Each structure stands twice: as C-alpha cells, then as structure tokens.
C-alpha cells in the first residue's frame, strides 16, 4: 500500500499565520502538523509516501522531511498548483500509485487512540474497494455523514445533511484499492471546478464496495485547519504528553518501534536535537529499547 499526504491549499482560513508558511508546518504543540498524518501512515505499515503540496510549500517540507531515509521511509513530493479537490490527489499521484492500493490522509487531520495501529493494519489487510473512517459528532449537519448497516457496509453518504441519518462524520483518512485512479479520472468537476472525494466514495458505494469503520469511544479525531481547532489539538496533545509521559505522533519513535530504524540511529536523531525536550525524549526511548 502506498501513502499520500495531501498538504496543499492556501490556508486562507488561518491567515495571516499562513501567509508566509504552509499550514502543515504550523506546530501542533511540540511538532509540525504534518507529523500527525505521517504518523498514521507509518502506523499502518506504509513506508512509501507521497506528499502533495503547493509549489511554494514544497521546499520547506523537503527541508523538514528530506527523502525520509532517516526514518526508514521513502518520501516523494508532487505539486498541486492550485486546490482542485481532494480527489485530484489520485490523478497527480497516478504514476506513483501504479497498481497498488493507497491510503490518503489530509495534512491537517489529527488521530489518536489506544489500539489505533491494530485497527489500521486490520483495515489495510481487509480492504475490499474503499474503506472510510467515521467519527461520532454532536453536530452531523456540518459534515459528510456515512450511514452503515449492521456489517459496517456503507448504505449512504450525505454532505452536510439537514436531517442526518447517523452521527458518523467521514474523516480525512481514506483507504482505496487500485481502481481509485481510474474512478478519479472519470469524475466530473463540481461547480467549484473541483474533483470531490465524495464522488469517489459514491462510486464505490454504488458498486457495493464501500465500508466505514467507526472510531468510537477511546479515539480522537481533530481537524486542525482553523486557529481554534489548532489550539484545541495542541492542548489535547499537551495534556496527553504531560500526563502520560509519551509523545503523540513522534515519527522517530514510531520508526523505531516499527523496526524501520534501530535504537542507535534513533538515539543519534535525538542527539541532534538534544537541546530540546523532544530530542532528549528520543534518546531516552532509544536507551529503553536498546
């Protein structure tokens, strides 16, 4: 399975903070926002990842993440010159995806929860068409909502319904089989000129090959794409880290525990940031594993 992080857009909801930098480089407490979607793909067992962003943002993302080799990954980059919808990611990344399945995650989404890695890996192994991830919300009329049957198969998808049939908000994490590229190519742009991800999901729904996994009690999903939601995400991460003494979305630690890098390499990465709490944490983690 290939991974895609869609980190494009102009970040207009967060101006002036994003006038000179990418939204995905803003900090969610102690690390760049882009670490969170990357961590989800890594926990799924994905090591080949394509980051799609704007021409102006790509240099800084490359400076931050490089080719991914320091984390045992293979990171590639591609341009989305202007925002033309989430589904355009599959056209931009068509050659990259090839004949493999793919996991697409939005660059401003934050996920956390006990057992999340196992859930992700099971979803990857059982993928049959399209797998979406739903999260219960108290205001479903503000989201794309998925209705499921008793087996978790999608029955309907509605965008911001006036009378929601469920409280399952569809999150910014999507698993697809290789057919997604051709499905995206056949889409008709919306009135905004965008290729809508809902239309991709509807295509799988019509084929009877769409499933939704509900992230219920014990899981957290946050969209950090506004100033208020970024603050809420930062406060959430701060509370978890201070209370439990662990780091959320710590890419180096995940790479170590997934076997992508060894303890010595993790310690060296931490030593390179030894003046920060983050760097010292990495050295401690490496010593505990060695």
């Amino acid at each position: 399975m290939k991974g895609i992080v869609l980190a494009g857009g102009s970040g207009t909801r967060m101006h002036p903070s994003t006038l000179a930098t990418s939204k995905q480089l803003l900090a969610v407490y102690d690390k760049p926002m882009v670490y969170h979607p990357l961590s989800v793909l890594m926990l799924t067992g994905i090591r080949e990842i394509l980051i799609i962003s704007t021409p102006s943002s790509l240099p800084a993302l490359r400076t931050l993440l490089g080719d991914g080799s320091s984390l045992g990954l293979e990171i590639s980059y591609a341009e989305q010159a202007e925002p033309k919808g989430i589904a355009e990611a599959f056209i931009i990344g068509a050659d990259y995806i090839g004949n493999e399945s793919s996991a697409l995650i939005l660059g401003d989404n934050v996920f956390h929860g006990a057992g999340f890695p196992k859930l992700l890996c099971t979803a990857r192994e059982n993928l049959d068409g399209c797998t979406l991830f739903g999260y219960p919300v108290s205001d479903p009329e503000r989201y794309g909502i998925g209705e499921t049957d008793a087996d978790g198969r999608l029955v309907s998808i509605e965008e911001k319904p006036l009378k929601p049939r469920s409280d399952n908000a569809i999150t910014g994490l999507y698993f697809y089989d290789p057919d997604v590229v051709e499905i995206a190519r056949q889409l008709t742009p919306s009135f905004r000129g965008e290729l809508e991800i809902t239309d991709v999901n509807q295509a799988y729904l019509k084929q009877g090959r769409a499933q939704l996994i509900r992230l219920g009690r014990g899981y957290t999903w946050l969209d950090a794409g506004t100033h208020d939601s970024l603050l809420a995400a930062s406060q959430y991460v701060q509370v978890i880290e201070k209370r439990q003494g662990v780091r959320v979305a710590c890419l180096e630690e995940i790479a170590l525990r997934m076997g992508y890098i060894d303890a010595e390499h993790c310690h060296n990465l931490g030593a390179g940031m030894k003046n920060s709490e983050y760097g010292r944490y990495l050295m401690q983690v490496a010593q505990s594993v060695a």
Side-chain angles (χ1 to χ4, degrees):
M1 177 176 272
K2 297 287 186 70
I4 300 176
V5 177
L6 184 56
S10 54
T12 55
R13 291 187 299 170
M14 303 188 76
H15 284 173
S17 299
T18 52
L19 287 174
T21 189
S22 166
K23 172 177 64 177
Q24 287 77 21
L25 293 174
L26 298 178
V28 177
Y29 182 49
D30 59 347
K31 62 189 71 68
M33 186 188 298
V34 72
Y35 274 38
H36 288 270
L38 282 171
S39 72
V40 172
L41 298 179
M42 292 173 68
L43 290 170
T44 308
I46 296 171
R47 301 180 70 171
E48 296 177 74
I49 298 171
L50 175 68
I51 297 178
I52 299 175
S53 191
T54 63
S56 61
S57 297
L58 282 175
L61 287 165
R62 281 195 176 96
T63 298
L64 175 67
L65 300 167
D67 63 2
S69 59
S70 65
L71 298 170
L73 307 175
E74 294 180 20
I75 297 179
S76 304
Y77 300 87
E79 292 185 1
Q80 185 182 41
E82 55 184 304
K84 291 185 178 179
I86 296 172
E88 190 190 25
F90 299 111
I91 296 176
I92 294 172
D95 291 339
Y96 179 81
I97 295 169
N99 294 319
E100 295 192 40
S101 58
S102 57
L104 170 67
I105 186 168
L106 304 186
D108 57 5
N109 273 219
V110 174
F111 293 87
H112 184 250
F116 197 38
K118 182 178 180 180
L119 181 148
L120 291 169
C121 291
T122 300
R124 173 182 177 177
E125 292 169 2
N126 297 329
L127 178 63
D128 178 20
C130 159
T131 296
L132 310 178
F133 296 83
Y135 189 81
V137 294
S138 60
D139 49 355
E141 64 278 357
R142 294 182 54 238
Y143 299 89
I145 296 297
E147 178 190 9
T148 62
D149 61 19
D151 297 323
R153 289 285 174 179
L154 272 173
V155 176
S156 70
I157 302 173
E158 295 181 286
E159 282 294 326
K160 300 180 179 179
L162 295 177
K163 296 181 179 180
R165 298 179 183 178
S166 83
D167 63 352
N168 283 319
I170 297 174
T171 70
L173 174 62
Y174 318 86
F175 287 4
Y176 296 104
D177 71 6
D179 293 344
V180 70
V181 172
E182 188 58 32
I183 289 173
R185 283 175 171 155
Q186 294 178 5
L187 293 181
T188 300
S190 68
F191 69 93
R192 295 177 296 184
E194 298 183 356
L195 300 179
E196 303 288 352
I197 197 67
T198 298
D199 292 339
V200 172
N201 299 334
Q202 291 282 11
Y204 279 101
L205 178 61
K206 291 177 181 178
Q207 297 174 11
R209 298 195 301 133
Q211 181 181 12
L212 185 141
I213 296 175
R214 182 180 172 94
L215 302 176
R217 188 182 298 272
Y219 291 94
T220 296
W221 167 59
L222 297 167
D223 174 350
T226 68
H227 288 110
D228 285 344
S229 59
L230 176 61
L231 177 60
S234 295
Q235 291 173 331
Y236 173 82
V237 171
Q238 180 191 36
V239 169
I240 294 294
E241 294 189 352
K242 293 298 184 182
R243 182 67 60 87
Q244 298 183 358
V246 297
R247 298 273 165 172
V248 177
C250 178
L251 301 186
E252 297 85 353
E253 181 180 9
I254 293 171
L256 173 62
R257 299 195 184 280
M258 295 289 288
Y260 300 166
I261 62 174
D262 60 25
E264 181 181 3
H265 184 67
C266 182
H267 187 277
N268 290 339
L269 291 175
M273 297 180 279
K274 64 183 179 181
N275 290 332
S276 68
E277 289 186 10
Y278 188 89
R280 292 191 289 272
Y281 173 80
L282 289 180
M283 290 189 286
Q284 293 170 1
V285 167
Q287 290 170 352
S288 70
V289 172

